[in-house]
Amino acid sequence: MQSFSGFLPCSINDEISGFEYYASAVSAEELKQLDLGREIDFSILFCARSRPFEIIAALAASSALAAMSDGTIEDPQVGEPIAAPDAIAWARSKQARLLAM
């Protein structure tokens, strides 16, 4: 998935949903801005609109990828990075809030 960018469809509860997926190398400037305390060289951006199932699909995919690759999730709404060991629990808590709405 390093060279793919675009819409990835997902089925959630038999409804077609999905999210935008963008892969790119991380520049030295971006790495400095992220201030993660470790070197990374690649970034995946997951974009979802306001539909709850789109957000749930992006949360599931991004947290699974972070957990499998020892990656980090950078959520601008949280303000601090979510480490790989916490990624799935973080996504599940966000999903629970969305489903409760």
Side-chain angles (χ1 to χ4, degrees), residues 60-73 82-89:
S62 63
S63 64
L65 180 60
M68 291 184 335
S69 66
D70 193 30
T72 303
I73 295 175
I82 296 100
D86 303 322
I88 291 177

Side-chain angles (χ1 to χ4, degrees), residues 2-99:
Q2 290 183 4
S3 62
F4 177 82
S5 288
F7 183 77
L8 286 174
C10 300
S11 176
I12 298 176
N13 294 343
D14 295 325
E15 183 177 321
I16 296 298
S17 189
F19 52 87
E20 298 287 330
Y21 172 102
Y22 300 97
S24 64
V26 176
S27 71
E29 183 179 318
E30 290 170 317
L31 188 57
K32 188 176 180 178
Q33 285 179 332
L34 289 171
D35 192 28
L36 297 175
R38 66 184 181 126
E39 292 290 317
I40 60 169
D41 59 359
F42 204 74
S43 174
I44 305 292
L45 175 65
F46 292 85
C47 296
R49 307 247 191 278
S50 59
R51 292 183 56 223
F53 281 169
E54 290 178 3
I55 298 168
I56 288 169
L59 285 167
S62 63
S63 64
L65 180 60
M68 291 184 335
S69 66
D70 193 30
T72 303
I73 295 175
E74 183 70 28
D75 180 352
Q77 295 176 341
V78 173
E80 44 187 76
I82 296 100
D86 303 322
I88 291 177
W90 170 81
R92 284 184 176 156
S93 71
K94 294 273 193 186
Q95 289 173 352
R97 280 187 244 147
L98 283 168
L99 294 172

